[in-house]
Amino acid sequence: MKQLKKDIKVKFTDFWPGWDSNNNYFIKILSNMYNVQISDNPDYLFFSDYGTEFLKYDCVRIYYTGENIVPNFNVTDYAMGFNYIDFGDRYFRLPNYKRFDSYDLAINRSKIENIGNKSKINFVYSNSKANPIRDNFFHFMAQYFEIDSGGAHLNNIGYRVSDKITFLENYLFTIAFENDEALGYTTEKIVDAFAANTIPIYWGNREICNEFNPNAFINIRDFKSFKNVAEYVSHLIENPDKILEYLNTPIFTNSQLINHKKQQIAFENFLNRIFLQDIHFAQRRSKYAVSLNYQRKFYTMNKLYENKFLKLVFKAKRFLFKIRFWKNY
């Protein structure tokens, strides 16, 4: 007799603009295992970093971040993010590139016979508040190579690219720097480059070589200086066979590929542990004593921050703090 799927009521809040609650990575996985109903009266709430609406819901909370942010387990029952954390059944490391179509493209990228007429280097970013090393590297390399910048930040091609992967396909190298440096913080940037059959020039997660084949990309940490990187890139440009060697190297070593497959199964098990247990036992965050007071303060501070006048006050205080800091420095 075929076992019936369990019915679950879920809701998504505080995700980025353009998020589709009816069609996303989590819905696709959950729909294979459960009868999923999107509800305003959910038993399970998925939330992220772009708001505080999640505080209105006293159901099972499941936090997901695609940013370099450490989960706050005082306000969530479960979390998924970049950090290497061991926190019982409450946390699962889920780098955001797993959600991107480029991840599957990268794994299944085809063999390259020749490099054709590809341009040299691209740079596609919109975030101007990233670690300064990214802009510094761009400006340094621009002294030696023509670099096409197709994002909103440092744009020099006259338009903003609408299809990143298609744009990247026209280049030999992609500057694939994270917004910042943190252990485990590996985003879609290196995966997009792999998917487009261009060589990533990577900076970010110090453990990146445990995640992807170090022979498939250029790791900034392998060089003493930016100048050494520029010299190595020049060497590769003069030796197309070496570029082809990079492009045709699998993005995972055999052991890494096995681990990635295991991780997919582990993620499904993580979700099942949440949804298959009784709803009353699924909640993990404490609601009593000091924990309750903390959550009330957390809620109050976030509600205050949503006040437009107080937002201006907070911004002014931050500005004054920066002035005092630089004067003292």
Side-chain angles (χ1 to χ4, degrees), residues 3-19:
Q3 187 174 3
L4 296 177
K5 291 182 178 180
K6 180 180 179 179
D7 297 327
I8 59 173
K9 293 191 299 181
V10 304
K11 185 177 178 65
F12 295 88
T13 67
D14 308 312
F15 281 79
W16 47 89
W19 175 265

Side-chain angles (χ1 to χ4, degrees), residues 30-84:
L30 289 174
S31 295
N32 290 329
M33 302 184 288
Y34 305 96
N35 293 318
V36 183
Q37 176 187 349
I38 304 297
S39 172
D40 288 328
N41 184 31
D43 294 319
Y44 307 91
L45 180 77
F46 286 85
F47 70 99
S48 193
D49 305 302
Y50 296 82
T52 57
E53 187 180 349
F54 74 94
L55 293 168
K56 301 175 183 177
Y57 296 88
D58 192 29
C59 57
V60 177
R61 295 177 185 166
I62 306 167
Y63 171 70
Y64 168 77
T65 182
E67 305 294 342
N68 184 21
I69 297 175
V70 180
N72 184 345
F73 288 96
N74 296 298
V75 297
T76 190
D77 299 293
Y78 303 93
M80 298 166 284
F82 292 104
N83 300 95
Y84 299 116

Side-chain angles (χ1 to χ4, degrees), residues 120-124 147-149 167-168 171 173-175 198:
K120 293 184 175 63
I121 305 175
N122 75 77
F123 179 94
V124 182
I147 303 178
D148 290 343
S149 179
F167 180 75
L168 265 54
Y171 296 86
F173 304 92
T174 292
I175 296 177
T198 175

